[in-house]
Amino acid sequence: MKNTVITFKQAKEKAPCIVFIDEIDAIGKKRDNQLSTNDEREQTLNQLLTEMDGFEGNNGVIILAATNRPESLDPALTRPGRFDRRVPVELPDLAGREAILRVHAKKIKVAPDVDLAKIARMASGASGAELANIVNEAALRAVRDGRASATQADLEESIEVVIAGYQKKNSILTTREKLIVSYHEIGHALVAAKQTNSAPVQKITIIPRTSGALGYTMQVEDGNHYLMSREEIENKIATFTGGRAAEEVVFHSVTTGASNDIEQATKLARAMITRYGMSDNFDMVALETVTNQYLGGDASLACSAETQAEIDRQVVDLVKKQHAKAVRILQENRPKLDELAKFLYEKETITGEEFMEILNQ
Ligand code: ZN
């Protein structure tokens, strides 16, 4: 509380100036009416509100704050005269990612042939902080290898580090595990490639990561996608089930390796029904509302218990149908599945071009 007073006193002395408060939700959370409240935090908030009221419109102090949880802020904070303007900062799009990468790349030495546009395309969904991290990691990798500048390969490897964690150098998969992971990843890639409108495969690897992933398939969209058709989402679900489908087709048994795929496929299927109006009988009724568009978008159901049960049934049907489609695709392309899995098993990392070359032979 004392700090708040000092900060604002300094700000008035130093005007014109900007006071920036990061993670404002730490002190600006909604006050509740319970008896046992966090006294200190509440006092700080009250102090902040008082200080903000003490500013005239033209005394040259601008107060700026950032939060990932705008809905958790005390309404008193966002009232006119206090924080009266809201600027939503979404994840950067393709052009935005490239621009952000350019800013950070200026701070390190990069090789002249580095293609930041391609890096931006590969890092789809990355936040500004993650992009900064990617450039940092690339510089570290170059230094470790005793090179004078960061190369394209450094940057591409850094994307994987930021997304999937470091390569686990000494984790040992048994021969059989390695074979299963190879088939699993080729299963994803093959199902994606055999459907229309799938993002092209960029890279497939079975080198384990510190994040726990035993392998992964990286797909890269050509540009920005703001709208997805029903067919595209269904194809995406089929691609998520492709890994497990390959295990079933080849080994007639299943492993725990598909837990993340299952989560992703279920999330998409549920969203199709409850949020995108893509089911046959619920039409355009919102069954779910997103309460926090930041931080992954928590959603809450807004329907009766019977409807919930019906939604669950439809989610299962949807995933089952796409899973069956993936199995069919893999059975129809069994020779290619074997050939590609063998190739990945031997090389451990293959590029999208190598994958397509074998597929189209
Ligand atoms: Zn998988």
Side-chain angles (χ1 to χ4, degrees):
M1 188 173 83
K2 224 180 228 153
N3 284 341
T4 320
V5 179
I6 294 169
T7 309
F8 282 89
K9 195 167 157 269
Q10 281 178 341
K12 277 175 203 157
E13 284 163 10
K14 295 225 164 77
C17 68
I18 297 170
V19 176
F20 178 68
I21 309 169
D22 204 6
E23 312 284 0
I24 180 97
D25 48 286
I27 52 164
K29 265 205 198 82
K30 273 190 196 95
R31 288 165 290 190
D32 38 29
N33 294 324
Q34 284 163 3
L35 286 174
S36 59
T37 47
N38 186 337
D39 262 356
E40 195 161 344
R41 202 191 68 205
E42 200 156 293
Q43 280 179 36
T44 311
L45 177 57
N46 286 335
Q47 187 65 39
L48 179 65
L49 294 170
T50 315
E51 291 290 346
M52 288 177 84
D53 287 340
F55 283 111
E56 308 293 318
N58 54 358
N59 67 357
V61 178
I62 290 173
I63 307 171
L64 211 62
T67 178
N68 281 318
R69 304 193 150 277
E71 78 291 337
S72 76
L73 293 181
D74 195 279
L77 266 176
T78 50
R79 218 165 270 156
R82 290 176 183 151
F83 288 112
D84 42 14
R85 204 159 301 174
R86 219 190 236 219
V87 185
V89 182
E90 308 278 339
L91 285 178
D93 61 4
L94 182 59
R97 289 197 301 277
E98 196 184 332
I100 292 170
L101 282 169
R102 229 164 265 295
V103 169
H104 293 293
K106 270 197 195 128
K107 297 175 203 154
I108 67 163
K109 282 205 181 101
V110 291
D113 61 336
V114 160
D115 183 357
L116 289 179
K118 189 181 174 201
I119 303 297
R121 228 178 307 122
M122 289 173 78
S124 134
S127 67
E130 281 167 335
L131 292 167
N133 208 353
I134 285 169
V135 174
N136 247 342
E137 280 294 335
L140 287 176
R141 212 175 98 107
V143 170
R144 261 201 307 269
D145 291 359
R147 275 177 280 106
S149 58
T151 61
Q152 184 77 13
D154 288 329
L155 283 158
E156 288 183 14
E157 168 63 23
S158 306
I159 296 177
E160 289 171 56
V161 168
V162 172
I163 295 171
Y166 287 95
Q167 288 186 5
K168 232 179 184 173
K169 290 274 193 252
N170 48 7
S171 82
I172 301 152
L173 292 184
T174 64
T175 315
R176 186 177 157 81
E177 279 172 338
K178 206 174 133 188
L179 195 63
I180 292 174
V181 178
S182 299
Y183 270 100
H184 180 106
E185 294 308 325
I186 294 294
H188 284 304
L190 201 54
V191 170
K194 286 289 170 190
Q195 295 176 111
T196 48
N197 288 324
S198 293
V201 173
Q202 173 80 23
K203 184 176 184 175
I204 310 169
T205 171
I206 54 165
I207 296 174
R209 296 275 160 175
T210 47
S211 66
L214 295 178
Y216 70 92
T217 302
M218 188 182 211
Q219 285 175 273
V220 177
E221 305 274 357
D222 293 328
N224 272 321
H225 271 233
Y226 294 109
L227 287 175
M228 278 211 285
S229 68
R230 182 172 177 167
E231 193 202 352
E232 280 172 294
I233 304 182
E234 283 175 349
N235 287 355
K236 241 184 166 163
I237 296 173
T239 301
F240 279 128
T241 63
R244 163 65 66 90
E247 294 179 29
E248 291 166 323
V249 168
V250 178
F251 302 98
H252 308 289
S253 69
V254 293
T255 67
T256 51
S259 62
N260 186 258
D261 301 332
I262 290 169
E263 212 180 294
Q264 305 259 23
T266 311
K267 223 190 212 168
L268 271 181
R270 185 166 277 278
M272 279 181 80
I273 292 160
T274 60
R275 283 162 56 194
Y276 305 145
M278 289 179 179
S279 70
D280 295 320
N281 49 352
F282 290 128
D283 201 56
M284 284 186 59
V285 175
L287 301 168
E288 200 179 82
T289 42
V290 177
T291 44
N292 179 2
Q293 65 193 103
Y294 306 92
L295 296 178
D298 312 328
S300 53
L301 281 170
C303 56
S304 69
E306 295 91 77
T307 309
Q308 280 186 38
E310 177 59 23
I311 291 171
D312 290 338
R313 232 184 338 267
Q314 289 199 19
V315 169
V316 173
D317 282 352
L318 229 161
V319 175
K320 258 191 181 160
K321 212 172 128 200
Q322 296 310 314
H323 185 178
K325 183 168 89 183
V327 168
R328 206 166 54 240
I329 290 174
L330 294 175
Q331 278 168 340
E332 283 164 6
N333 295 279
R334 182 63 200 265
K336 286 291 172 198
L337 175 63
D338 291 334
E339 195 184 345
L340 284 159
K342 192 167 160 269
F343 186 64
L344 177 63
Y345 177 86
E346 276 159 14
K347 290 202 62 179
E348 298 197 343
T349 299
I350 64 173
T351 64
E353 288 102 66
E354 289 172 317
F355 172 80
M356 289 313 289
E357 209 183 291
I358 294 178
L359 186 59
N360 294 327
Q361 260 167 22

